[in-house]
Amino acid sequence: MLPIMLDLATLKAAYAAGLTPFDLVEEVIARRKASDDPAVFITETADEDLRAAAKSLMEKAPEPNSLPLWGVPFAVKDNIDVAGLPTTAACPAFAYQPEKDSVVVARLKAAGALVIGKTNLDQFATGLNGTRSPYGAPRSVFDKSYVSGGSSSGSAVSVAAGLASFALGTDTAGSGRVPAAFNNLVGIKPTPGLVPNVGVVPACRSVDVVTIFAATVGDGVAIRKVMDGYDAGDPYSRKAVPVGLPGSGLRIGVLEGAEREFFGNAAVEALYDQAIERAKSLGATIVPFDYAPFRQAAELLYNGPWVAERLAAVKEFIGTNADDFDPTVRTIIEGAKAYDAVAAFEGQYTLGHLRQKALVEWEKLDVLMLPTSPTTYTVEAMLADPIVKNSHFGRYTNFANLFGYAAIAVPGGFGPDGLPSGVTFFGPSFSDDALAPFADAMHRACASGMGKDKSAALPDASKVAEPDDGLVTIMVVGAHLTGMPLNHELTGPGGTLVKTCRTAGDYRLFVLPNTTPPKPGLIREPGFAGKGLEVEVWKVTPAAFGRFVQNIPAPLGIGKVTLEDGSQVSGFLCEPYAIEGAQEVTELGGWRAYIASRR
């Protein structure tokens, strides 16, 4: 029996064990029928068409997992063309039948993925909350009284509820990120221009991005790599020049002072603070920064001339079908009539000045980490104040595409009310791959599960590996810890701290007799049920590692140590004979605590 979440690693393993796409399709059909949210899909792929797609895949590629996304079910936001299914943009009067797939859908199908349906959205992708659709309002999978986030509402819910392995959304102001936060998912927002928009109904054509909702960062990145690549048919398509980030010791910008706005939601603010501490534990350097220029740029998207782009996208249709628009969407789009060409240029000038101010902040940062949304609301509250409350969701999202950034949203845990929150990592243009390892590490450290399944463990197979920086990783447990007497043997040759963490629970710690300064002896005892010991993971050059190991005195040596997350790293271990008669300090939890106890 398949688990709730149909992540790529789970499906790949199931297919290798004998599951077939025919079995998978029947499972999807059953799950769609059992769904308790009738507003997720606008158009479902017919059962027989799904079965035919599985048959076609088996004829084309009969070997299990022989294509990158072999037999993987996905949903598509209904402003993205899928041949054979109508595109509505959540406006029935606008609906048309596309003759061919959008570029991204065609690439995903060629990789073996199966479309299960077109999902609901805020009409014409105008909104961040998911209530602006005549097809109903998809709800948070954790509480049906709350919004699911928008505009890619149905896409997020389809993944979080286990109906699809991944789903496509679009993101102009945050629509590929806010629904991820509200449904405990990962949201991958590529750099504008990295993924083609041909076959996508535009919202703001110059800044629109096709996005991915997935169970893990690794899944999202793998799917994005199938989709991305220059396309001359898209006037805003760009040839990527990948940008790297430090493999360790990331400088992460966080909010401070008056820029920390959560609109009274103390639970989300507490979860953001927890995320900051989590980032520290993973070796990041936390740097408060001035969010003001980013916030001011964000305000331009709806309270500036960019709203005129939304009118440009539907100019002819709204001229003849204004009454077919959602009232809030119509109000926003018709507000564009207040802007002229002069205002458009003035907006560009303002954005340019704000970009320069933002660059000053980037001089002290590698990435930004912001709350994906500062709060959430019930459907009832949103409908009562749709424009103001929707704007709250975009406080930390709207600037991203205007500035051309890459972004990855990851889960950030659950508040006392049982509702999830999230944080988003932002990097420079084309830092998409470089952002992924730390974002993945943060998701794993949060241990919030995947989608609706809060207890699910993230598969090791989907883990995003750190880029190879040519350095050697080493774990230290005693006198080489930060602030301890021998730490200079790491920092002197330029070593950098990667993270502070704990070992697996079956390690014991002893004080070796007759050592100056005092040295620990770490041994592994299979079956020992401890809580793990605090250690640090560092990176050094191969030459420094060689000198370091050469100078280690017996009975110490370097071996593989298992950490609490199940990963293994080279680190200090002790030969068992040396602990005979030695003082055990395991219960203190680490060497630093032992040293403190002696004072």
Side-chain angles (χ1 to χ4, degrees), residues 217-360:
V217 175
D219 283 8
V221 170
I223 295 156
R224 192 216 79 222
K225 288 182 177 181
V226 171
M227 292 165 46
D228 67 23
Y230 176 75
D231 188 291
D234 178 358
Y236 291 99
S237 186
R238 301 164 66 191
K239 294 182 179 179
V241 179
V243 171
L245 294 169
S248 59
L250 276 179
R251 299 172 302 164
I252 294 182
V254 301
L255 298 170
E256 68 173 347
E259 293 298 340
R260 289 173 61 98
E261 176 60 78
F262 293 87
F263 301 100
N265 195 322
V268 174
E269 184 170 15
L271 289 169
Y272 180 59
D273 288 334
Q274 290 173 24
I276 292 172
E277 293 304 312
R278 200 174 297 127
K280 286 182 184 177
S281 73
L282 293 173
T285 299
I286 302 301
V287 183
F289 76 104
D290 182 9
Y291 182 65
F294 302 85
R295 172 177 50 78
Q296 291 161 8
E299 292 167 357
L300 289 173
L301 197 58
Y302 276 102
N303 299 317
W306 273 267
V307 75
E309 254 199 303
R310 293 186 182 272
L311 178 58
V314 294
K315 179 178 60 177
E316 294 181 6
F317 182 74
I318 200 170
T320 57
N321 296 77
D323 291 342
D324 293 313
F325 279 70
D326 173 271
T328 302
V329 173
R330 178 178 174 179
T331 297
I332 292 168
I333 293 178
E334 289 188 336
K337 296 175 182 178
Y339 298 98
D340 58 14
V342 172
F345 280 103
E346 289 175 341
Q348 289 284 359
Y349 304 152
T350 299
L351 182 63
H353 286 298
L354 293 172
R355 184 180 288 111
Q356 296 301 328
K357 291 181 179 180
L359 287 173
V360 173

Side-chain angles (χ1 to χ4, degrees), residues 65 253 291 435 547 568:
N65 301 316
Y291 182 65
L435 278 176
R547 291 192 298 271
Q568 289 191 326

Side-chain angles (χ1 to χ4, degrees), residues 138-162:
R139 309 302 177 101
S140 164
V141 296
F142 298 101
D143 189 327
K144 298 304 179 187
S145 63
Y146 279 82
V147 299
S148 60
S151 59
S152 310
S153 51
S155 290
V157 175
S158 71
V159 178

Side-chain angles (χ1 to χ4, degrees), residues 247-248 466-476 490 496-499 501 536-542 545 548-549 558-561 563 567-572:
S248 59
E466 288 281 355
D468 185 5
D469 54 13
L471 300 178
V472 179
T473 302
I474 185 170
M475 182 223 74
V476 297
L490 292 169
T496 57
L497 178 64
V498 175
K499 63 180 177 178
C501 56
E536 290 180 352
V537 178
W538 287 71
K539 279 192 172 183
V540 295
T541 65
F545 179 78
F548 190 75
V549 172
I558 297 293
K560 290 296 183 182
V561 178
L563 302 179
S567 62
Q568 289 191 326
V569 63
S570 297
F572 277 90

